[in-house]
Amino acid sequence: MLQFRNLIKASIKSILKNRMRSLLTSLGIIIGVGAVIVMVAIGEGASERIKNNIASLGTDLLMIRSGASRFGGVSRGVGSAVGFTFKDVDEIKERATTLKAISPLVRSAGQVIGGGNNWNTSIEGVNTDYQYIKSWEIGAGEFFTERDVRGRRKVCVLGHTVAKELFPNSNPIGERIRIRNTPFQVIGVLKEKGQSGMGQDQDDVILAPATTVLYRLKGGIYVDMIFVSAISTDKIYEAEQELTTVLREIRDVKPGDDDDFSIRNQAEITEMASSTTEVLTLLLGSIAAVSLLVGGIGIMNIMLVSVTERTREIGIRLSIGARERDILTQFLTESVLLSAIGGIIGILLAFLITYLLQTFTTLSTVIKLDIILIAFSFAAAVGIFFGFYPARKAAKLNPIEALRYE
Amino acid sequence: MNKIIETKQLTKTFYLGDIAVHALRGIDLSVEPGELVAIMGSSGSGKSTLMNLLGCLDQPTSGDYFLDGINVNSLKKDEYAEIRNHKIGFVFQGFNLLPRTSALENVELPLFYDRTLRIKNPKQAAIDALARVSLAERMDHEPNQLSGGEQQRVAIARALVNQPAIILADEPTGNLDSRTSVDVISVFQELNDQGITIVMVTHEPDLIPYAKRVIEMRDGIIRNDYLVEKRRRAKEDLAEMATLQEEV
Ligand SMILES: Nc1ncnc2c1ncn2[C@@H]1O[C@H](COP(=O)(O)OP(=O)(O)OP(=O)(O)O)[C@@H](O)[C@H]1O
Ligand SMILES: [Mg+2]
């Protein structure tokens, strides 16, 4: 026990003797451990947020797209995917019995000028049901009506962010704005929703009648997507079934042929999103792990230099009765101590960085105990693994040759 | 009488590629307690090789070596280390102190590797050893703050601290001027007076009168082995040198 205490004391002394070099050696480990923890914390933060959003969004939502391709994937077969029109939307509404709400989505984006400011944002052309489907609440003014949609009226509802950017000090209701040079009248402002699970600002949006956006802004005849709500959460599967039947009829899909559209429910979407963040977490984590490995190689490098440099010292120790084992443990203790100290500093650094990220950016982070333990043990293991070879090299030195070493 | 060192036909051959260098060709040597032996001989005659064998830093090619009654040749590596730690105090030409480490810690170092813990208070033992070489008041100094002679005294204290059976010194005055050499020899003489057995290698004929016995080596064998007749006291000579210097 006394021996062990002496060993630790001697190692600390030798580390302190070369303060600068010790710090540089540990730097690889510090950065490695810090990076692993921060990266995984960011990934965990993102997926945590997505999970929270599942609960808040409700699960009665279905999204329909033309084309048989995966959501978000590359669409196969160019000609096969005829888009949906407003007529399709009406027809679905008429036939389906399991739906509570349905809205097309026509997406556009561009510069908006108003109140003497301009802002780049996305414009979503929708109908009145959309407010319910996405649980948007009106903060001021009102949402547009069926009549506005039918009449292709140039009215719009601003998201909280857009309202703030264009009219920081005044009431936007009733004001005129220009969306990509087309004048619109602001009739309402949405209540603030905050960030989505993916870290996007959900309030950075303008809602306008789908017809207006399609015909006056975007052009063409197809909508991008159709959003529906099932009559209740537990009817979501039936709704999906019914929609499939109806859509196949509408689109004349022959029996045996594949659907030329796809329906996704909220669960699938969030699952996809969180699996993306899981991949992200894994990716970030493994990049960081590589840096930890590089840090370990740095330790080995310095320990090898140190062994060469201290050949004489090793010779002296051997000549006064140190056993191979003593030299081995001494150098091993040093490298493990170096990496352990580096690991601890790395952990502290990670806490600092995540704190800064949390306070000064929109990223949310979650540090889990297990990742700290994993990163730290990995660092210590790196110390043992990469310290062993130099330590063994030191222990195997011949005392006479070591003493003669200049 | 119990011999401290006894070698029987000790040989050592180095191989440099195909060439065999016969550094030692059969050494029969015995040293008894209380001796102060000086080994002389031209460069390359095998003095250091012999000292390394006696100091258990190296193993002989053939022959037997008994140290304090133990047949060293039959020992394992770790036991070798233990012998070095318990039985031998080695003093080198180049001092070989740990840099940036205080004199006290340097002297304590052998006790650090003594697993028997037979010396109860290592720090006190180290201070005592430094006192025996008259350096107790410099124990906090690091090697680069000490003169060559002082560094060699620290090295001697380190060799002493384990209460070894014998002190082996390979050209301990090789890096020192003649006055400091006599100074170091006076330390050896004092320790020898206290009963410590010492074997040292030296190149300087001037130092012969301070030893009790001289061994001359040539080409890896002992050529001559005799007792010193006109012995001198290093301490007296030092005092004389001091008064001479004052007169000048
Ligand atoms: N490790 C070694 N490998 C090969 N040859 C060696 C080795 N060590 C010593 N020798 C050879 O053995 C012979 C004796 O060397 P040793 O060092 O014992 O001489 P020495 O008497 O101490 O000389 P010096 O007075 O110069 O120190 C020399 O010829 C030397 O070249
Ligand atoms: Mg020599």
Side-chain angles (χ1 to χ4, degrees):
Chain A
M1 212 50 230
L2 179 84
Q3 299 284 321
F4 185 69
R5 253 211 348 249
N6 282 340
L7 200 65
I8 298 281
K9 237 165 58 187
S11 304
I12 289 175
K13 230 173 78 185
S14 128
I15 286 171
L16 289 181
K17 257 185 224 168
N18 287 302
R19 245 169 258 254
M20 192 61 194
R21 194 170 73 185
S22 304
L23 183 72
L24 289 176
T25 310
S26 309
L27 206 57
I29 297 291
I30 293 173
I31 292 171
V33 169
V36 167
I37 296 174
V38 170
M39 294 297 185
V40 173
I42 290 173
E44 289 285 342
S47 60
E48 195 97 321
R49 197 129 46 154
I50 284 167
K51 276 177 208 151
N52 290 342
N53 272 26
I54 296 177
S56 70
L57 264 176
T59 48
D60 60 351
L61 179 73
L62 291 172
M63 293 160 95
I64 307 163
R65 267 194 180 180
S66 66
S69 64
R70 258 178 55 92
F71 245 63
V74 182
S75 105
R76 303 177 306 186
V78 185
S80 67
V82 176
F84 292 109
T85 62
F86 290 136
K87 223 178 119 241
D88 294 329
V89 177
D90 291 339
E91 209 155 329
I92 295 168
K93 197 171 181 178
E94 211 161 279
R95 292 211 216 167
T97 58
T98 49
L99 305 184
K100 190 157 54 178
I102 180 163
S103 168
L105 174 68
V106 183
R107 271 209 191 111
S108 183
Q111 200 178 46
V112 182
I113 302 169
N117 299 305
N118 69 71
W119 184 246
N120 249 307
T121 187
S122 56
I123 297 103
E124 295 187 349
V126 296
N127 68 17
T128 50
D129 276 4
Y130 192 70
Q131 190 193 351
Y132 167 76
I133 295 168
K134 278 296 192 87
S135 26
W136 277 115
E137 281 180 58
I138 282 289
E142 54 196 12
F143 209 82
F144 46 80
T145 61
E146 284 292 337
R147 281 188 59 196
D148 294 328
V149 177
R150 258 184 278 124
R152 303 177 191 179
R153 293 239 177 95
K154 290 185 268 186
V155 292
C156 66
V157 178
L158 305 184
H160 185 261
T161 304
V162 179
K164 221 172 51 194
E165 290 295 336
L166 295 182
F167 303 97
N169 305 314
S170 58
N171 183 4
I173 310 292
E175 295 286 341
R176 292 200 153 265
I177 62 170
R178 299 180 76 84
I179 302 174
R180 301 215 332 237
N181 272 331
T182 308
F184 277 74
Q185 187 174 20
V186 180
I187 57 165
V189 176
L190 297 167
K191 263 197 186 149
E192 189 171 359
K193 251 189 186 178
Q195 273 177 32
S196 75
M198 301 298 281
Q200 283 162 335
D201 181 4
Q202 299 182 86
D203 300 312
D204 190 3
V205 71
I206 293 176
L207 301 187
T211 48
T212 320
V213 175
L214 186 62
Y215 297 130
R216 297 192 193 268
L217 275 184
K218 200 177 180 187
I221 52 164
Y222 296 121
V223 306
D224 292 290
M225 235 186 270
I226 300 172
F227 279 77
V228 304
S229 277
I231 40 175
S232 69
T233 307
D234 51 328
K235 288 279 175 358
I236 190 102
Y237 184 70
E238 282 160 48
E240 214 172 321
Q241 294 293 309
E242 190 190 24
L243 271 175
T244 308
T245 318
V246 169
L247 284 169
R248 283 180 78 95
E249 276 172 33
I250 293 174
R251 292 165 76 86
D252 265 338
V253 181
K254 294 195 177 61
D257 282 5
D258 286 340
D259 296 343
D260 64 350
F261 55 87
S262 59
I263 303 174
R264 288 284 178 273
N265 59 44
Q266 184 67 31
E268 282 173 299
I269 293 160
T270 35
E271 199 173 283
M272 218 173 60
S274 63
S275 79
T276 321
T277 61
E278 260 160 43
V279 170
L280 188 81
T281 306
L282 206 69
L283 195 77
L284 292 177
S286 36
I287 290 171
V290 169
S291 77
L292 201 51
L293 207 68
V294 173
I297 294 170
I299 285 206
M300 175 147 90
N301 186 19
I302 296 290
M303 290 310 289
L304 279 174
V305 171
S306 172
V307 166
T308 313
E309 224 181 54
R310 287 158 67 189
T311 301
R312 247 187 124 81
E313 175 194 328
I314 296 163
I316 293 169
R317 289 179 185 274
L318 288 170
S319 76
I320 59 170
R323 296 165 303 162
E324 272 184 25
R325 219 174 313 161
D326 296 322
I327 303 293
L328 186 82
T329 34
Q330 183 192 340
F331 277 82
L332 215 50
T333 310
E334 265 177 49
S335 68
V336 171
L337 223 53
L338 266 181
S339 56
I341 291 170
I344 289 169
I345 298 176
I347 290 169
L348 296 178
L349 193 73
F351 272 103
L352 181 72
I353 290 174
T354 49
Y355 171 76
L356 292 178
L357 284 177
Q358 196 82 269
T359 358
F360 295 110
T361 73
T362 56
L363 286 170
S364 73
T365 53
V366 177
I367 293 188
K368 289 198 169 158
L369 183 67
D370 54 357
I371 196 68
I372 291 179
L373 294 179
I374 289 171
F376 184 76
S377 335
F378 195 55
V382 158
I384 295 178
F385 184 79
F386 288 106
F388 189 79
Y389 173 70
R392 215 182 84 99
K393 202 179 153 198
K396 290 282 177 202
L397 282 174
N398 173 308
I400 299 170
E401 276 163 29
L403 281 170
R404 215 179 279 148
Y405 185 85
E406 290 306 321
Chain B
M1 190 170 225
N2 245 351
K3 289 182 176 108
I4 292 202
I5 282 178
E6 189 169 22
T7 71
K8 293 190 175 136
Q9 281 304 304
L10 217 50
T11 74
K12 180 75 186 178
T13 309
F14 294 106
Y15 293 94
L16 294 168
D18 294 340
I19 308 160
V21 180
H22 301 281
L24 296 179
R25 300 160 183 268
I27 302 282
D28 291 308
L29 171 69
S30 37
V31 177
E32 289 175 11
E35 285 202 85
L36 175 52
V37 184
I39 298 180
M40 305 278 294
S42 56
S43 189
S45 55
K47 306 182 293 295
S48 293
T49 308
L50 177 60
M51 290 299 268
N52 289 340
L53 292 186
L54 297 182
C56 292
L57 291 169
D58 205 358
Q59 275 121 319
T61 307
S62 69
D64 283 313
Y65 173 27
F66 296 89
L67 176 65
D68 211 14
I70 303 164
N71 187 347
V72 173
N73 288 10
S74 60
L75 298 181
K76 294 192 192 72
K77 247 183 162 173
D78 280 356
E79 293 168 319
Y80 247 88
E82 199 169 294
I83 289 272
R84 285 202 289 270
N85 190 250
H86 288 181
K87 300 266 181 210
I88 294 161
F90 215 104
V91 178
F92 303 90
Q93 177 175 355
F95 320 139
N96 279 336
L97 300 175
L98 289 190
R100 281 181 286 172
T101 305
S102 73
L104 184 67
E105 285 170 311
N106 261 296
V107 175
E108 251 183 292
L109 203 57
L111 302 176
F112 178 74
Y113 293 113
D114 185 350
R115 282 170 310 135
T116 63
L117 303 177
R118 63 203 163 113
I119 288 161
K120 291 287 168 287
N121 186 342
K123 189 165 178 184
Q124 192 53 49
I127 293 172
D128 291 346
L130 277 168
R132 287 173 85 173
V133 297
S134 324
L135 267 183
E137 71 280 9
R138 310 289 300 269
M139 64 185 187
D140 293 326
H141 290 221
E142 292 178 2
N144 59 359
Q145 300 166 316
L146 297 168
S147 73
E150 285 163 344
Q151 287 186 55
Q152 196 60 297
R153 281 165 182 265
V154 174
I156 294 169
R158 181 180 63 190
L160 276 175
V161 76
N162 260 356
Q163 302 168 353
I166 189 164
I167 288 185
L168 300 170
D170 191 355
E171 297 193 45
T173 62
N175 287 9
L176 304 173
D177 62 39
S178 54
R179 199 196 160 283
T180 318
S181 298
V182 178
D183 189 53
V184 165
I185 296 297
S186 83
V187 173
F188 279 144
Q189 275 191 334
E190 249 168 69
L191 295 174
N192 185 245
D193 290 343
Q194 292 159 21
I196 295 174
T197 314
I198 298 169
V199 174
M200 63 172 182
V201 169
T202 180
H203 263 304
E204 292 152 71
D206 291 355
L207 297 181
I208 288 178
Y210 302 116
K212 290 179 177 169
R213 174 183 169 196
V214 175
I215 289 168
E216 281 178 17
M217 288 184 64
R218 200 192 304 158
D219 294 336
I221 53 166
I222 294 175
R223 272 299 155 97
N224 219 341
D225 185 346
Y226 59 91
L227 294 178
V228 178
E229 280 169 11
K230 288 188 188 143
R231 294 183 47 206
R232 301 184 66 89
R233 298 294 302 173
K235 209 162 201 166
E236 291 163 14
D237 288 353
L238 279 172
E240 203 171 304
M241 275 187 236
T243 47
L244 270 177
Q245 205 150 36
E246 265 166 38
E247 277 165 32
V248 174

